[in-house]
Amino acid sequence: MHTRRTHRRTRIGGTRIRATFLAAALLATACSAGGASTSAGPAAEAAGATEAATASLAPLPKATPAELSPYYEQKLGWRDCGVPGFQCATMKAPLDYAKPTEGDVRLAVARKKATGPGKRLGSLLVNPGGPGGSAIGYLQQYAGIGYPEKVRAQYDMVAVDPRGVARSEPIECLDGREMDAYTQTDVTPDDQDETDELVDAYKGFAEGCGADAPKLLRHVSTVEAARDMDVLRAVLGDGKLTYVGASYGTLLGATYAGLFPDRAGRLVLDGAMDPSLPARRLNLEQTAGFETAFQSFAKDCVRRADCPLGDRDTTPAQVGENLTAFFDDLDAKPIPTGDADGRKLTESLATTGVIAAMYDEGAWQQLRKSLTSATKENDGAGLLALSDSYYERESDGAYSNLMFANAAVNCLDLPAAFSSPDEVRDALPDFEKASPVFGEGLAWASLNCTYWPVQASGGPHRIEAAGATPIVVVGTTRDPATPYRWAEALAGQLSSGRLLTYEGDGHTAYGRGSTCIDSAIDTYLLRGTAPEDGKRCS
């Protein structure tokens, strides 16, 4: 149920949460082959392999196939979209790139034109990650108004909601009440009955998605979304793609570079993913990433007077034990929240709330306050609010389609991490070693794709993008959702990768307050000068 965001600048109380990457609980993220040629396949994953893939994503032919010309030559009808300064349009893409005459998918596009002065450099496409995060929401709420003024002066800021996401034929799986029940499902089952309940929840979720969009569900892969980005590039009149992707958006951008290396321009991949990992290893490494972030939070917490989990004499391991004891108490007896719909704070919701705060150290104060209310005042409202922000649940009980699209993309991109509850049980020692606090829940969360109604079309593979101009890969050393090792791995795979390191906490680095990071990326976007490979910032 856990792994998620940063670059979206959505408010959680007084905290800014910035990007989006979701894996566990609706977890199984990595690369897809949907519609593109790659020599990597699902066989190794199905056999339970743990080694990273060695095969590479193959580039597509440079010439645009004649049957795709109508898409590449379409004209967008820009219109006002109700947000001052922004225009919106609808772009068509083939539902199935292998059979482009058999139907379209309609994709929502938005832009804010370059403000000047200075030479216009073209379009800058942005994506906040997810999969399932609304790129248009990110553009209108942050990138189009919050990116450096000098960048917005010279670029048209552009976003497209990927297929199946937000405004682009969104996949819907459960209604609000059903999602409330789903998010409260116990993901640390104590016996067979609770295991059966968890499996039934995953099956019900999958069945709902399959019933809503049986055709689209087969065509929401990362490769297909990357191909849509190339159509948009052409329609916008740009010879090469300029792009900033955060979290899962790095996988989308790297996939684009692998498919179209000659059309890859200035690409910034911030909070990078490693496309070579099979789902089980990806989930395990991400679990370790959350433990790294929690250790950093624990060390900070005990130095503060309002820490409810210990004092200066409390070790990080003891902080984790105290939090785990609190979760165990909730498992036995949920606590009140004052929620209008009668929801109590369960172990699953509380865990999600804690994990949500791991994405940005700016949320740690809110987390301490929420934990204090829950542990000392029997009031779960604060942790419930953090959990709701993670799931994008509105006050009226409605949910965005973030979680639905997230599962749809993840479960298509990679074969499931586990084939049965027994396999999860066998893997629990590894996950609990990776994170004593979150390991058990994240292991069981990795079971969700096991029951997906559509077979995975992709598999783990390397992305080299031979011939591409320098690509900037950004990694944060204590990133919870996309561990730093993934940035090292992606930069090493890309033939022109340049690794830029932020030594700090939180998920992603651009716009986080490091002048060193921001200056390096701005210089790259505006002048095309990539930072030296291995540059480190704090």
Side-chain angles (χ1 to χ4, degrees), residues 257-314:
L259 297 174
F260 307 102
D262 58 314
R263 301 174 195 168
R266 302 170 188 178
L267 306 185
V268 177
L269 310 179
D270 184 13
M273 292 185 61
D274 179 359
S276 72
L277 299 179
R280 189 182 305 183
R281 180 169 164 187
L282 182 148
N283 293 1
L284 183 62
E285 292 192 7
Q286 190 181 60
T287 298
F290 275 99
E291 182 65 23
T292 296
F294 178 76
Q295 291 287 315
S296 188
F297 163 76
K299 292 174 183 177
D300 179 80
C301 186
V302 297
R303 292 197 296 263
R304 300 179 183 275
D306 63 344
C307 180
L309 299 174
D311 55 29
R312 290 182 179 272
D313 295 326
T314 309

Side-chain angles (χ1 to χ4, degrees), residues 290-442:
F290 275 99
E291 182 65 23
T292 296
F294 178 76
Q295 291 287 315
S296 188
F297 163 76
K299 292 174 183 177
D300 179 80
C301 186
V302 297
R303 292 197 296 263
R304 300 179 183 275
D306 63 344
C307 180
L309 299 174
D311 55 29
R312 290 182 179 272
D313 295 326
T314 309
T315 66
Q318 290 170 329
V319 172
E321 291 169 0
N322 292 338
L323 182 61
T324 300
F326 167 61
F327 289 156
D328 289 343
D329 289 343
L330 291 177
D331 189 30
K333 185 178 180 181
I335 64 175
T337 64
D339 177 60
D341 295 311
R343 293 178 299 159
K344 292 187 175 182
L345 184 70
T346 62
E347 177 191 14
S348 57
L349 290 174
T351 305
T352 303
V354 172
I355 279 186
M358 292 298 101
Y359 283 79
D360 190 326
E361 68 272 25
W364 291 356
Q365 180 181 7
Q366 184 178 355
L367 177 58
R368 294 195 305 272
K369 181 179 179 181
S370 297
L371 284 169
T372 298
S373 295
T375 58
K376 300 184 183 305
E377 301 166 15
N378 205 44
D379 179 3
L383 284 172
L384 181 64
L386 283 167
S387 177
D388 284 350
S389 73
Y390 178 94
Y391 287 118
E392 293 196 352
R393 183 190 192 272
E394 302 297 334
S395 58
D396 63 359
Y399 288 76
S400 79
N401 97 307
L402 172 67
M403 287 291 172
F404 311 139
N406 176 261
V409 176
N410 286 340
C411 297
L412 192 61
D413 271 1
L414 275 187
F418 298 107
S419 64
S420 68
D422 286 341
E423 284 195 1
V424 177
R425 292 189 186 96
D426 290 342
L428 281 176
D430 289 338
F431 277 78
E432 292 174 332
K433 181 179 179 181
S435 175
V437 178
F438 305 119
E440 182 183 6
L442 292 181

Side-chain angles (χ1 to χ4, degrees), residues 6-360:
T6 21
H7 244 274
R8 290 178 5 135
R9 303 281 168 144
T10 311
R11 286 280 177 177
I12 297 183
T15 302
R16 295 184 301 179
I17 299 294
R18 294 187 185 77
T20 309
F21 170 74
L22 292 149
L26 288 160
L27 181 65
T29 332
C31 277
S32 161
S37 174
T38 175
S39 53
E45 173 71 8
T50 59
E51 294 304 314
T54 56
S56 296
L57 182 68
L60 292 170
K62 292 184 179 181
T64 300
E67 59 268 27
L68 295 180
S69 293
Y71 297 102
Y72 275 79
E73 296 170 0
Q74 66 185 295
K75 303 296 182 183
L76 296 184
W78 294 103
R79 62 188 184 278
D80 178 77
C81 47
V83 180
F86 293 87
Q87 297 175 306
C88 291
T90 301
M91 185 185 84
K92 290 183 180 180
L95 177 65
D96 183 350
Y97 276 92
K99 301 175 182 178
T101 61
E102 296 190 5
D104 300 333
V105 58
R106 299 172 67 85
L107 306 176
V109 182
R111 74 177 178 187
K112 185 177 184 183
K113 300 193 75 172
T115 57
K119 178 184 177 182
R120 182 183 174 278
L121 296 176
S123 305
L124 173 56
L125 189 66
V126 297
N127 184 281
S134 172
I136 291 179
Y138 174 66
L139 176 73
Q140 294 176 343
Q141 297 168 22
Y142 172 60
I145 56 177
Y147 266 35
E149 185 177 357
K150 55 190 175 183
V151 173
R152 292 182 285 115
Q154 294 186 251
Y155 282 104
D156 289 348
M157 301 293 294
V158 180
V160 55
D161 279 348
R163 50 179 63 204
V165 174
R167 300 163 178 83
S168 294
E169 300 192 16
I171 292 169
E172 302 289 343
C173 303
L174 303 176
D175 63 27
R177 288 189 177 277
E178 291 169 333
M179 270 299 287
D180 279 348
Y182 180 78
T183 60
Q184 295 175 71
T185 303
D186 188 350
V187 291
T188 57
D190 299 319
D191 53 35
Q192 189 58 48
D193 286 344
E194 290 187 353
T195 301
D196 292 343
E197 290 176 6
L198 179 60
V199 169
D200 287 345
Y202 286 145
K203 287 180 177 179
F205 187 98
E207 290 168 1
C209 296
D212 175 74
K215 291 184 178 179
L216 181 60
L217 215 60
R218 291 173 169 79
H219 296 289
V220 291
S221 69
T222 297
V223 163
E224 288 162 314
R227 297 192 69 170
D228 294 341
M229 284 165 45
D230 194 57
V231 174
L232 179 58
R233 172 204 57 78
V235 170
L236 294 172
D238 293 322
K240 291 192 174 186
L241 179 74
T242 304
Y243 175 82
V244 176
S247 200
Y248 163 80
T250 67
L251 178 60
L252 194 54
T255 301
Y256 181 91
L259 297 174
F260 307 102
D262 58 314
R263 301 174 195 168
R266 302 170 188 178
L267 306 185
V268 177
L269 310 179
D270 184 13
M273 292 185 61
D274 179 359
S276 72
L277 299 179
R280 189 182 305 183
R281 180 169 164 187
L282 182 148
N283 293 1
L284 183 62
E285 292 192 7
Q286 190 181 60
T287 298
F290 275 99
E291 182 65 23
T292 296
F294 178 76
Q295 291 287 315
S296 188
F297 163 76
K299 292 174 183 177
D300 179 80
C301 186
V302 297
R303 292 197 296 263
R304 300 179 183 275
D306 63 344
C307 180
L309 299 174
D311 55 29
R312 290 182 179 272
D313 295 326
T314 309
T315 66
Q318 290 170 329
V319 172
E321 291 169 0
N322 292 338
L323 182 61
T324 300
F326 167 61
F327 289 156
D328 289 343
D329 289 343
L330 291 177
D331 189 30
K333 185 178 180 181
I335 64 175
T337 64
D339 177 60
D341 295 311
R343 293 178 299 159
K344 292 187 175 182
L345 184 70
T346 62
E347 177 191 14
S348 57
L349 290 174
T351 305
T352 303
V354 172
I355 279 186
M358 292 298 101
Y359 283 79
D360 190 326

